[in-house]
């Protein structure tokens, strides 16, 4: 069909659960689980399922979720029901226990099922890497990086990434976590603040007063106590509006190249939040599908066990393009995916153009002003390079 064949010698596993996709956060909420359906529809239309091992992921168990989350929080999450809220009172009287029930983390029907399925896919993927049945695992339904041990935050209730990395740590001495979502990966960073076995790296838009969650400054590198082995193991790459593919790729490759060399991870976990793409409803960058995918390509080159998570992404057609392209990068050796969308894709109208790689003009009309100077990016790289002097494998 697309010329995509199953390469010999390495396996890609794909973990999803169609039941996850039917959940709704509410009419006006930007998080649309349906974007997973659109992504899969593009992935399957390209014929990619023939080149992967496809698994319907199960829901993670309470015990599995409790490897990170507090039982108080899980018990509450398992019993809360959506409150019928009168329209005009919306957002005004939420039950904010554990930050649940506000407008960012609403209570909706089947919330616990949704969360445990997201974590189930991520955990299944991590297990496939540990058992060496898979070399690259894909869990687009995961990547919910803001959730804390006992708190929901920023559309995230259960931190599937932390649960999956805890599984990887049973087999691999060191895990490198990379986060290209436009938001700071604060929940994952905090979870591993006091260990030198996980290095977390987040690239994000940073504006402490005007952009969620407001954390992730360049010099936030983990609690600097002398006795904390995790000190210096959090890398933050704060960026401004409008960064381009070219700048992002340069910075990503330079930073990740130096980190891999120094930290020598046994496995890589990559959160591929698609809200860093141009035209995202919440994001502010000018990244294109090619630049976003280049991060996956770069990580793949190390031939280390690799798990790919989803994350943010609020313009479903962009999300579907990015995650389809990145699935093709995971499975293909040399053969490039056709840049023209397949003839028959369900919901084809959603995509507007029939290309996998729309131009900035097609996406935005007028591209966003780029507020990232080359000088600033060089300073960031220098800070990270100096930080790495304190890190040893
Ligand atoms: N930016 C943004 C944004 N938009 C919303 C929102 C809009 C409409 C709704 F009906 C409900 C929520 N919330 C936010 C952010 C949270 C962004 C989370 C990103 C998640 C991720 O992509 O990184 C991973 C999946 N929240 C805020 O900015 C907080 C507020 C401070 C302002 C917005 N109001 C609605 C809540 C409080
Ligand atoms: Ca990020
Ligand atoms: Zn995000």
């Amino acid at each position: 069909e697309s010329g995509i064949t199953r390469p010999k010698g390495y396996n890609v596993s794909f973990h999803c659960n169609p039941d996850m996709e039917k959940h709704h956060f509410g009419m006006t909420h930007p998080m649309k689980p349906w974007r997973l359906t659109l992504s899969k529809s593009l992935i399957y239309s390209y014929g990619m399922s023939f080149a992967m091992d496809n698994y319907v992921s199960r829901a993670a168990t309470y015990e599995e979720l409790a490897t990170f989350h507090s039982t108080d929080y899980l018990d509450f999450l398992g019993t809360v029901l959506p409150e019928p809220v009168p329209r005009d009172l919306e957002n005004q009287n939420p039950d904010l226990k554990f930050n649940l029930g506000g407008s960012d983390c609403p209570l909706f029907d089947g919330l616990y099922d949704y969360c445990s399925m997201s974590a189930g896919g991520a955990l299944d993927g991590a297990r496939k890497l540990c058992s060496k049945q898979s070399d690259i695992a894909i869990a687009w339904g995961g990547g919910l990086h803001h959730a804390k041990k006992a708190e929901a935050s920023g559309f995230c209730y259960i931190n599937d990434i932390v649960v999956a990395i805890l599984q990887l740590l049973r087999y691999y001495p060191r895990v490198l976590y990379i986060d290209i979502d436009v938001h700071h990966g604060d929940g994952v960073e905090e979870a591993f603040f006091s260990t030198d076995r996980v290095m977390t790296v987040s690239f994000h838009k940073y504006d402490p007063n005007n952009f969620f969650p407001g954390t992730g400054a360049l010099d936030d590198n983990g609690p600097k106590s002398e006795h904390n082995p995790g000190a210096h193991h959090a890398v933050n790459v704060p960026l401004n509006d409008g960064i381009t593919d070219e700048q992002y790729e340069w910075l990503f490759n330079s930073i990740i190249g130096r980190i891999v060399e120094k930290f020598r991870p046994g496995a890589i976990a990559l959160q591929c939040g698609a809200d860093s793409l141009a035209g995202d409803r919440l994001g502010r960058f000018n990244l294109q599908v090619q630049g976003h995918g280049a991060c996956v390509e770069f990580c793949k080159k190390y031939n280390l066990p690799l798990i790919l998570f989803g994350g943010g992404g609020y313009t479903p057609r962009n999300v579907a393009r990015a995650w389809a392209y990145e699935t093709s990068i995971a499975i293909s050796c040399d053969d490039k995916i056709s840049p023209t969308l397949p003839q028959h894709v369900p919901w084809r109208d959603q995509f507007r153009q029939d290309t996998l790689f729309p131009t900035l003009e097609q996406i935005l009309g007028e591209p966003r002003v780029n507020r990232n100077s080359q000088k600033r990016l060089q300073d960031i790289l220098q800070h990270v390079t100096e930080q790495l002097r304190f890190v040893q494998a």
Side-chain angles (χ1 to χ4, degrees), residues 37-319:
T37 313
L38 193 67
S39 304
K40 273 184 354 192
S41 121
L42 189 55
I43 291 166
Y44 294 161
S45 302
Y46 265 112
M48 292 187 224
S49 50
F50 301 106
M52 322 187 272
D53 297 328
N54 301 276
Y55 298 95
V56 174
S57 44
R58 69 204 163 79
T61 65
Y62 179 94
E63 288 70 28
E64 287 167 338
L65 301 180
T67 58
F68 174 53
H69 291 284
S70 81
T71 52
D72 280 1
Y73 176 56
L74 292 176
D75 291 341
F76 190 74
L77 196 63
T79 53
V80 278
L81 291 170
E83 285 173 295
V85 192
R87 271 201 160 278
D88 53 338
L89 288 180
E90 241 173 346
N91 308 335
Q92 285 180 23
N93 190 25
D95 177 358
L96 285 174
K97 212 171 162 191
F98 304 111
N99 197 31
L100 288 165
S103 53
D104 273 1
C105 302
L107 302 175
F108 54 83
D109 272 324
L111 173 61
Y112 191 88
D113 295 338
Y114 166 84
C115 296
S116 48
M117 281 186 265
S118 158
L123 197 46
D124 280 351
R127 289 224 172 89
K128 288 285 166 202
L129 297 185
C130 291
S131 66
K132 310 274 195 278
Q133 288 177 72
S134 169
D135 301 287
I136 304 179
I138 300 177
W140 295 134
L144 306 178
H145 58 177
H146 298 305
K148 313 283 157 43
K149 184 185 169 85
E151 196 185 296
S153 170
F155 319 163
C156 306
Y157 305 80
I158 290 290
N159 202 314
D160 59 285
I161 303 170
V162 173
V163 172
I165 292 177
L166 288 170
Q167 170 66 32
L168 293 173
L169 287 172
R170 295 180 180 198
Y171 289 80
Y172 301 102
R174 288 176 304 284
V175 174
L176 174 60
Y177 172 68
I178 308 169
D179 185 315
I180 62 171
D181 189 288
V182 76
H183 298 100
H184 176 223
D186 57 352
V188 184
E189 178 184 276
E190 187 184 297
F192 298 111
F193 248 172
S194 50
T195 177
D196 54 4
R197 294 185 59 200
V198 179
M199 186 137 197
T200 62
V201 190
S202 176
F203 296 76
H204 46 266
K205 151 87 186 168
Y206 177 67
D207 181 345
N209 301 312
N210 295 308
F211 198 73
F212 187 87
T215 49
L218 185 58
D219 56 3
D220 288 343
N221 307 124
K224 284 190 182 74
S225 103
E226 250 186 70
H227 306 291
N228 174 20
H232 313 291
H233 284 68
V235 172
N236 279 303
V237 184
L239 302 166
N240 291 319
D241 288 4
I243 194 168
T244 61
D245 274 5
E246 196 192 6
Q247 288 181 317
Y248 199 94
E249 249 189 273
W250 174 78
L251 194 59
F252 184 92
N253 297 1
S254 313
I255 288 178
I256 300 304
R258 282 166 173 73
I259 290 177
V260 171
E261 194 180 309
K262 200 72 198 284
F263 183 62
R264 301 230 155 264
I268 299 179
L270 176 58
Q271 195 267 22
C272 302
D275 48 7
S276 42
L277 293 166
D280 186 79
R281 184 172 153 192
L282 300 190
R284 312 274 187 92
F285 291 168
N286 274 342
L287 294 191
Q288 293 178 257
V289 170
Q290 297 94 316
H292 202 268
C295 301
V296 176
E297 222 164 342
F298 190 80
C299 290
K300 186 187 171 186
K301 289 210 177 96
Y302 289 104
N303 285 321
L304 290 165
L306 174 65
I307 182 163
L308 304 179
F309 304 100
Y314 305 101
T315 304
R317 58 180 177 277
N318 293 350
V319 179

